């Protein structure tokens, strides 16, 4: 049995498919015959040459579009791709371990990263992102040169890999994937969020999973307990037969809730929206009768393109989503890059800590060539659909005002071209940076609505990286400091008369619903698969009791005490009468 962190609940049973991931594509790891080694060498040489040529072209293109200093990064990466040591190490591994070149390259890059990340020198540590980037690029080239159908996922296979970038997840035929096991990431990583929104059981942070599990192994993935059984005994299989039957019964029990309103026991309606990243999960949001989309993460649509999608391409995909939901509201968030959200065609300057570097609106404001086409596409959608625009990673008032200035310019351009749009398109701000949370009242007056992004807010308040599994014990959404801050943001929204919707993952846990209602939240946006359980918790709550619970929780000194309070009968549990 291997242990990790359960990041998407449910049980998956099936055959392992161990893959190596590039930027947007993946290939199986497999054993080879000694006679195949020469063919693998030729493939590696061709991929290294193609990656070097791509980098040179990118250096030129980015130099022209974004300036020479942004382009320098690709010069350094070209040198890394041409490093004979890298080539030699990969080929040695192919020969000695008799594995395909994709598997060998992944292992070598992983080894480099482990060495770099262990060095206290900050300059070297900053290079880790470059090494990872180079590895992905060469892998992508290797995989894509094989043709688009190089990865066929057998129905129900359990995909095992080192790290699953959101861009790869978005392209995997996820409806065929039974479950996911990854070495990196934790509950609040973007691929985990995507797995939850698609209802695919997943475990992250399983050390050396892609080496310890082999393609063809029989696996049981328990996404709740965070364990994976490799070639389990019949007794374990029997235990999971029973557990799966219970889970199915639990789901059926909730299905009657689809048609019932989201309303507390004492009659307060609590809008329940869906968090969505791609067209596929709009279908489950519709099936569970979401009141609308409270958070549409646009970065996934960017990550399935090989280059920036044009305004028209963006318009088409956004309009399709808005049409499916019409006349319900869709909140489209502007491209939120930075942290672990990267695009192979958009260079991020090296940063010691990507979560504290250029991100969200700050990055967009530096790149009007990226911001403007997206705003134009969104405004065109707003002409016929109730679309709102949400700003990611807002730190303060200036950023909102600067975006509004660009919005006005874009509106003037569209008007001059005779293109229709909603001149009063609602503009909202994510509250996910502590400064924004602390000045929520002032920000609320500046915008039409607020969205509480607890995934980032928790990492910034507690100084605990949401992507780093080693710091996961300190990433505590129930920390009394976090709860106090959430309570104060809810108060600020009420006093400014603005809607505040929680769209962070914390809002999707039904064990937190009562506490969040007690802290003053009156609108939830959660993964489609979590909607019914949250609705059930809302319908079981009386607001007076919820307020008492919240008041007691914020007075406590530790997460353990808050958890104990939520676990008490009559406290975290549903009202008895
Ligand atoms: C958040 O930070 O809570 C959020 C909803 O945004 P994301 O998870 O996409 O960063
Ligand atoms: Mg966020």
């Amino acid at each position: 049995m291997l242990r990790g962190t359960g990041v998407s609940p449910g049980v998956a049973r099936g055959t392992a498919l161990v893959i190596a991931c590039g930027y947007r594509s993946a290939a199986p790891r497999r054993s080879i015959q000694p006679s195949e080694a020469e063919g693998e060498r030729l493939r590696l040489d061709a991929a290294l040459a193609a990656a070097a040529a791509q980098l040179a072209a990118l250096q030129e293109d980015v130099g022209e579009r974004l300036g020479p200093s942004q382009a320098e990064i690709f010069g350094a990466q070209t040198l890394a791709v041409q490093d004979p040591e890298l080539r030699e190490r990969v080929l040695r591994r192919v020969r000695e371990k008799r594995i395909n070149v994709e598997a060998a390259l992944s292992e070598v890059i992983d080894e480099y990263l482990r060495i770099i990340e262990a060095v206290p020198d900050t300059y070297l540590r900053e290079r880790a992102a470059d090494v990872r980037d180079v590895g992905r690029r060469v892998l992508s080239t290797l995989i894509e040169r094989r043709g688009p159908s190089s990865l066929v996922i057998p129905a129900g296979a359990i995909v095992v890999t080192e790290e699953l970038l959101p861009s790869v997840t978005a392209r995997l035929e996820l409806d065929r994937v039974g479950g996911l096991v990854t070495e990196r990431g934790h509950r609040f990583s973007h691929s985990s969020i995507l797995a939850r929104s698609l209802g695919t059981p997943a475990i992250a942070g399983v050390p050396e999973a892609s080496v310890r599990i082999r393609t063809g192994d029989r696996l049981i993935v328990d996404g709740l307990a965070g364990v994976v059984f490799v070639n389990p005994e019949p007794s374990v299989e029997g235990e999971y037969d029973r557990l799966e039957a219970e889970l199915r019964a639990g789901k059926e029990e909730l299905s009657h809730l689809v048609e019932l309103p989201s309303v507390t026991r004492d009659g307060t309606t609590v809008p329940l929206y869906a968090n969505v990243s791609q067209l596929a999960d709009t279908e489950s949001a519709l099936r569970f009768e979401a009141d609308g989309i409270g958070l549409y993460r646009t970065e996934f649509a960017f990550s399935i393109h090989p280059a920036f999608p044009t305004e028209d391409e963006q318009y088409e995909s956004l309009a399709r989503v808005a049409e499916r939901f019409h006349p319900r509201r869709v909140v489209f968030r502007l491209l939120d890059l930075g942290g672990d959200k990267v695009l192979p065609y958009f260079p991020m300057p090296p940063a010691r800590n990507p979560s504290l570097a250029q991100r969200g609106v700050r990055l967009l404001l530096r790149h009007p060539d990226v911001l403007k086409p997206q705003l134009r596409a969104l405004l065109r959608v707003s002409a016929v659909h109730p679309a709102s625009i949400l700003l990611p990673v807002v730190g303060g008032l200036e950023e909102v005002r600067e975006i509004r200035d660009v919005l006005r310019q874009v509106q003037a351009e569209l008007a001059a071209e005779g293109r229709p749009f909603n001149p009063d398109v609602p503009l909202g701000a994510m509250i996910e940076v502590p400064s924004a949370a602390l000045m929520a009242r002032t920000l609320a007056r500046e915008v039409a609505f607020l969205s509480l992004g607890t995934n980032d807010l928790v990492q910034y308040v507690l100084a605990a990286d949401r992507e780093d599994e080693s710091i996961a014990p300190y990433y505590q959404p129930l920390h009394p400091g976090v709860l106090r801050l959430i309570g104060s943001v809810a108060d600020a929204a009420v006093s400014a008369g603005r809607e505040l919707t929680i769209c962070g993952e914390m809002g999707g846990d039904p064990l937190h619903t009562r506490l969040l209602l007690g802290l003053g939240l009156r609108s939830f946006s959660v993964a489609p698969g979590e909607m019914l359980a949250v609705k059930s918790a809302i319908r079981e709550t009386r607001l007076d009791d919820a307020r008492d619970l919240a008041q007691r929780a914020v007075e406590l000194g530790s997460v353990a005490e808050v958890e104990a309070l939520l676990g008490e009968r009559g406290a975290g549990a549903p009202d008895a009468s």
Side-chain angles (χ1 to χ4, degrees), residues 14-166:
T15 307
L17 175 69
V18 186
I19 63 171
C21 288
Y23 278 126
R24 293 175 295 120
S25 44
R29 290 172 60 107
R30 58 179 184 86
S31 304
I32 59 161
Q33 298 297 329
S35 58
E36 291 177 81
E38 177 58 12
E40 294 298 281
R41 181 187 70 77
L42 293 173
R43 290 184 59 223
L44 178 65
D45 285 342
L48 290 172
Q54 278 172 20
L55 285 164
L58 265 174
Q59 189 174 10
E60 198 180 314
D61 182 50
V62 169
E64 276 166 22
R65 283 159 55 97
L66 308 177
S69 61
Q70 294 270 12
E72 257 170 37
I73 198 170
F74 295 119
Q77 290 193 2
T78 309
L79 292 179
V81 166
Q82 291 166 337
D83 178 7
E85 173 76 16
L86 171 72
R87 176 180 177 277
E88 233 355 272
R89 274 179 189 246
V90 175
L91 291 179
R92 201 178 315 135
R93 226 166 253 252
V94 168
R95 283 192 309 269
E96 288 172 4
K97 293 183 79 177
R98 294 193 189 162
I99 49 178
N100 61 337
V101 69
E102 286 91 343
L105 178 66
S106 299
E107 287 186 15
V108 169
I109 295 292
D110 214 45
E111 191 178 80
Y112 276 6
L113 287 173
R114 271 202 294 273
I115 295 169
I116 292 177
E117 282 165 1
V119 173
D121 181 326
T122 46
Y123 174 79
L124 260 184
R125 287 175 62 92
E126 281 175 36
R127 303 272 77 79
D130 279 341
V131 171
R132 194 175 284 139
D133 217 24
V134 163
R136 281 183 191 138
R137 180 168 302 280
V138 180
L139 262 173
S140 294
T141 317
L142 272 169
I143 297 164
E144 278 149 29
R145 288 175 72 84
R146 282 233 138 155
S149 60
S150 65
L151 183 66
V152 178
I153 299 182
I158 294 175
V159 169
V160 180
T161 188
E162 286 144 45
E163 183 179 20
L164 212 43
L165 284 183

Side-chain angles (χ1 to χ4, degrees), residues 319-330:
R320 219 173 306 142
V321 172
E323 247 160 46
R324 290 293 284 138
F325 267 82
H326 195 98
R328 284 168 278 197
R329 163 185 181 213
V330 179

Side-chain angles (χ1 to χ4, degrees), residues 381-424:
V381 173
S382 78
V384 276
H385 301 293
S388 305
I389 298 176
L390 178 59
L391 311 184
V393 200
V394 169
L397 221 50
E398 293 89 340
E399 292 148 18
V400 176
R401 290 185 177 153
E402 285 174 44
I403 293 275
R404 198 188 295 284
D405 286 345
V406 183
L407 185 70
R408 290 208 181 102
Q409 281 171 32
V410 171
Q411 286 178 327
E413 283 165 24
L414 287 173
E417 294 165 24
R419 284 180 183 267
F421 60 88
N422 174 8
D424 301 316

Side-chain angles (χ1 to χ4, degrees), residues 509-520:
D509 186 338
L511 296 176
H512 299 160
T513 309
R514 200 154 176 248
L515 176 61
L516 292 168
L517 286 166
L519 289 169

